[in-house]
Amino acid sequence: DVKVTQSSRYLVKRTGEKVFLECVQDMDHENMFWYRQDPGLGLRLIYFSYDVKMKEKGDIPEGYSVSREKKERFSLILESASTNQTSMYLCASRETNSIQYFGAGTRLSVL
Amino acid sequence: KNEVEQSPQNLTAQEGEFITINCSYSVGISALHWLQQHPGGGIVSLFMLSSGKKKHGRLIATINIQEKHSSLHITASHPRDSAVYICAVRLEANDMRFGAGTRLTVKP
């Protein structure tokens, strides 16, 4: 059974904290993605990766960075969390030209 | 203007009703996806299609490439169908764009 696992379902952090969101997939997919989802805006792509150690900016990369040291793991990093980064964060993976599989999401609140 | 537009934004139906959710897009695509998101956040892929029609149980998805339009139909709707339905298109560059979603509530 296909699985994309995000390390936390809910997270509360303070402004200025460094935040790590972890995502692991067990399907040996090359492509991994981080999105944020906000009411009325749909999913917006933050960063994606086509291979180990490769990363590409999405539509809204400002304030975020990523790390892909191993094929199965894609981490999203908020270097200094701000209140406007309060959102639902979704990780996804897929093979090229195939269905995208999503994690359960991490609801992050920055106070 | 968003490249992927869904309508309606919100939809309330009575159990048993036939439901249609529409998606229009303005870019060249290689495929279109319909996704379902239940309360709590998890997203599940329902369909991926690039032409014609697909059916899975009570769900039917159609796409008209010339008109750049897709519909998701739910027959004999049930309260467990209550969710947000998201239309997403895969661009020819293999990037994806998402609609804002349609929130469906089916009342018993």
Side-chain angles (χ1 to χ4, degrees):
Chain A
D1 202 18
V2 158
K3 212 157 194 175
V4 179
T5 304
Q6 293 184 230
S7 53
S8 306
R9 291 299 306 275
Y10 301 95
L11 216 48
V12 180
K13 296 291 180 181
R14 296 239 173 247
T15 302
E17 277 193 74
K18 191 167 185 175
V19 182
F20 291 88
L21 302 183
E22 304 285 349
C23 175
V24 177
Q25 51 98 359
D26 64 0
M27 297 159 283
D28 203 35
H29 287 167
E30 293 161 351
N31 308 299
M32 296 189 74
F33 306 84
W34 273 106
Y35 299 92
R36 64 177 282 177
Q37 185 182 31
D38 300 288
L41 295 177
L43 278 82
R44 292 181 293 167
L45 181 64
I46 305 171
Y47 266 96
F48 61 99
S49 169
Y50 286 143
D51 202 351
V52 176
K53 296 196 186 293
M54 291 186 66
K55 56 188 178 186
E56 298 284 343
K57 291 180 180 179
D59 300 316
I60 50 164
E62 296 78 20
Y64 303 95
S65 62
V66 289
S67 172
R68 191 154 181 214
E69 294 296 316
K70 293 185 178 181
K71 193 175 186 180
E72 67 270 20
R73 187 180 296 270
F74 193 36
S75 303
L76 180 69
I77 304 151
L78 286 67
E79 294 290 341
S80 177
S82 63
T83 54
N84 63 12
Q85 292 178 310
T86 291
S87 187
M88 168 73 94
Y89 289 87
L90 287 150
C91 174
S93 75
R94 63 179 162 92
E95 284 298 328
T96 302
N97 297 322
S98 185
I99 289 173
Q100 191 142 305
Y101 295 90
F102 287 85
T106 297
R107 193 169 291 282
L108 172 67
S109 296
V110 182
L111 306 178
Chain B
K1 187 180 185 299
N2 198 359
E3 292 161 307
V4 183
E5 298 278 356
Q6 285 184 239
S7 63
Q9 254 186 311
N10 294 283
L11 182 55
T12 300
Q14 286 298 133
E15 184 173 356
E17 283 185 8
F18 180 83
I19 286 161
T20 296
I21 299 170
N22 294 300
C23 175
S24 296
Y25 54 93
S26 58
V27 291
I29 70 168
S30 58
L32 183 142
H33 299 249
W34 280 102
L35 311 171
Q36 180 191 57
Q37 185 176 31
H38 277 286
I43 293 178
V44 173
S45 181
L46 298 174
F47 294 104
M48 181 178 72
L49 63 165
S50 52
S51 66
K53 176 177 167 177
K54 284 192 176 180
K55 185 175 189 290
H56 187 255
R58 295 180 293 106
L59 301 177
I60 303 165
T62 64
I63 188 168
N64 184 320
I65 297 293
Q66 286 73 30
E67 294 186 5
K68 295 190 173 179
H69 181 269
S70 175
S71 293
L72 177 69
H73 306 285
I74 305 175
T75 61
S77 60
H78 189 276
R80 65 174 172 266
D81 297 325
S82 298
V84 175
Y85 292 85
I86 300 169
C87 173
V89 297
R90 191 166 70 238
L91 307 183
E92 283 156 4
N94 214 23
D95 195 2
M96 286 189 77
R97 293 284 184 265
F98 296 83
T102 295
R103 185 174 298 278
L104 171 65
T105 304
V106 182
K107 295 187 174 179

